[in-house]
């Protein structure tokens, strides 16, 4: 089970342990797994936040949401539109091929929310959209390969349209 031949290189470790290189590789694997799990947990928490704490009050026309949108002059149409965008973003955060696009779109929505908080509401709650942008941008960057995958799927679908049947 162990290498015992004189031909074994200096510093060789027993078969199966892998030596220091395997330990470093194993540590990197554990870190990558931890990072993936943490990122996924953040995505789920953000999706829950956007679906229930942010979109739901708008979609059910909660009095505080309706009052805020009336104050902006956007009315119920604006409220339902923003609520629907937030809900769509929450769902898309959980769909692997849409995660990066959803995080980018929700980031843009949060920049708009920040500007609205500063201009229309005297900066009250302006920190909330900024705080949410940070994990959203991390998700967008970490899942950017999924965007490439999505573009490939879109190109594939586009390439099949309009071609005559063989």
């Amino acid at each position: 089970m162990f290498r015992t031949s004189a031909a074994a290189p200096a510093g060789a470790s027993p078969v199966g342990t892998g030596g220091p290189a395997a330990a470093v590789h194993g540590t990197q694997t554990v870190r990558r797994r931890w990072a993936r799990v943490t990122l996924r947990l953040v995505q789920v928490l953000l999706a829950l936040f956007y679906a229930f704490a942010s979109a739901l009050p708008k979609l059910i026309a909660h009095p505080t949401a309706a009052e805020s949108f009336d104050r902006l002059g956007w009315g119920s149409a604006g409220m339902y539109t923003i609520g629907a965008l937030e809900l769509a973003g929450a769902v898309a955060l959980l769909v692997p091929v849409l995660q990066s696009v959803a995080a980018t779109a929700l980031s843009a929505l949060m920049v708009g929310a920040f500007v609205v908080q500063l201009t229309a509401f005297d900066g009250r709650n302006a920190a909330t959209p900024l705080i949410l942008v940070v994990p959203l941008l991390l998700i967008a960057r970490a899942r950017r390969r999924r965007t490439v995958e999505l573009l490939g799927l879109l190109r594939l679908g586009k390439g099949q349209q309009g071609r005559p049947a063989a």
Side-chain angles (χ1 to χ4, degrees), residues 39-62:
L39 188 64
R40 187 65 174 163
L41 178 64
V42 169
Q43 284 178 237
V44 169
L45 291 174
L46 282 170
L48 290 171
F49 171 80
Y50 277 104
F52 294 104
S54 195
L56 185 64
K58 294 171 184 84
L59 295 174
I60 64 169
H62 190 274

Side-chain angles (χ1 to χ4, degrees), residues 154-166:
L154 291 173
R155 286 186 187 123
L156 178 66
K158 188 176 183 180
Q160 292 178 353
Q161 292 177 353
R163 289 188 178 180

